[in-house]
């Protein structure tokens, strides 16, 4: 692997197996959030972990607000990583906005992906009253959200993390998410949040030709179950499974349920 891509995305290659699993984290997170999935699948699969530019251990010098103003740039990074590692026919697992990273990458180079797994993913977070689409946030809520981020990023991160995690009886989970959010450079975090919370990729869903699993669960501050149902209806080869979990990061708060859903999907299509 070239030094530039390895450094840019802090790429890690783990595990054993002929088939490859690529895990991509969501907003405010980093590759360590997949540790429970790595432990569950590394004996059977080759695993690729990476950090999106601007997050975790990625190369911050590679960040450009112009380049990373949309999801397409992150999809291009993913395809460059696949090209560098000579990956094809992989299983891509993306959380939250990374589900759309996988969708857009699969539209450009479908041969790279055998299956997509979207964990709490969404094509649009903003409600669209005209069409009746429920994304999870009104415009007024998003404006208040961005204002709070701009006012005091550290205070916002400390308050938002436990709400997003949705497991108040396990404060350590919220604290972990707060740490990864707080480790981001505030200007990058705010730009990435504005992009993530305002993109609209609903029209891309019907063009996806790769089989897709939609994993959803209840009690999520950010992405209601209606969004998972919407994606499952519009992606031609999609199926949705609802797991018992709370919050927006079930791969961290309910890893066994997520692991079972992924393993069941992969075994059924083997």
């Amino acid at each position: 692997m070239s030094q530039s891509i390895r450094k840019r995305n802090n790429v890690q290659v783990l595990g054993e197996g002929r088939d490859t699993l690529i895990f991509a984290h969501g907003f405010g997170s980093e590759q360590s959030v997949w540790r429970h999935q790595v432990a569950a699948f590394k004996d059977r699969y080759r695993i690729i972990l990476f950090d999106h530019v601007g997050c975790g251990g990625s190369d911050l010098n590679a960040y450009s607000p112009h380049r990373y103003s949309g999801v397409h740039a992150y999809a291009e990074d993913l395809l460059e990583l696949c090209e560098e590692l000579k990956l094809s026919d992989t299983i891509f697992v993306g959380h939250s906005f990374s589900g759309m990273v996988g969708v857009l990458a699969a539209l450009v180079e479908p041969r790279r992906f055998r299956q997509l797994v979207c964990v709490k993913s969404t094509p649009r977070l903003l409600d669209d009253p005209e069409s009746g689409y429920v994304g999870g946030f009104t415009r007024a809520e998003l404006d208040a959200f961005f204002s709070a981020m701009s006012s005091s990023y550290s205070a916002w991160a400390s308050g938002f993390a436990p709400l997003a995690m949705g497991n108040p009886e396990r404060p350590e989970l919220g604290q972990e998410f707060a740490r990864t959010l707080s480790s981001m450079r505030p200007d990058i975090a705010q730009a990435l949040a504005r992009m993530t919370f305002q993109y609209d990729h609903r029209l891309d869903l019907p063009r996806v030709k790769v089989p897709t699993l939609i994993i959803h669960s209840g009690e999520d501050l950010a992405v209601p179950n209606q969004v998972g149902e919407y994606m499952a209806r519009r992606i031609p080869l999609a199926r949705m499974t609802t797991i018992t979990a709370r919050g927006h990061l079930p791969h961290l708060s309910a890893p066994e349920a997520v692991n079972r859903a992924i393993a069941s999907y992969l075994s059924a299509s083997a």
Side-chain angles (χ1 to χ4, degrees), residues 142-244:
L142 281 191
D143 288 345
F145 183 93
F146 298 142
S147 176
M149 287 187 82
S150 300
S151 176
S152 174
Y153 179 71
S154 60
W156 171 85
S158 296
F160 175 72
L163 295 176
M165 188 60 70
N167 285 260
E169 75 286 359
R170 300 165 67 192
E172 70 279 3
L173 294 178
Q175 291 162 7
E176 176 176 344
F177 190 34
R179 282 194 299 272
T180 59
L181 276 170
S182 299
S183 70
M184 295 182 70
R185 217 171 71 191
D187 63 313
I188 295 177
Q190 291 178 59
L192 183 54
R194 287 183 178 275
M195 181 275 286
T196 300
F197 282 77
Q198 296 181 106
Y199 68 64
D200 187 352
H201 289 289
R202 289 176 293 172
L203 294 180
D204 291 308
L205 300 183
R207 301 192 295 122
V208 178
K209 306 305 181 187
V210 177
T212 303
L213 174 66
I214 313 294
I215 298 179
H216 264 261
S217 59
E219 299 182 55
D220 184 353
L221 167 74
V223 181
N225 263 2
Q226 295 100 306
V227 172
E229 294 162 359
Y230 180 93
M231 290 180 65
R233 287 195 304 270
R234 279 161 177 76
I235 296 176
L237 298 176
R239 55 177 278 199
M240 177 176 167
T241 185
T242 302
I243 61 173
T244 301

Side-chain angles (χ1 to χ4, degrees), residues 1 23 41 61 68 70 113 119-120 136 151 211 215 224 258 262 266:
M1 191 189 317
F23 288 99
F41 291 100
N61 292 320
Y68 292 101
F113 309 101
V119 182
K120 302 297 288 186
S151 176
I215 298 179
V258 171
I262 295 173
L266 298 183

Side-chain angles (χ1 to χ4, degrees), residues 255-267:
E256 295 84 1
V258 171
N259 294 348
R260 281 195 301 270
I262 295 173
S264 175
Y265 182 62
L266 298 183
S267 63

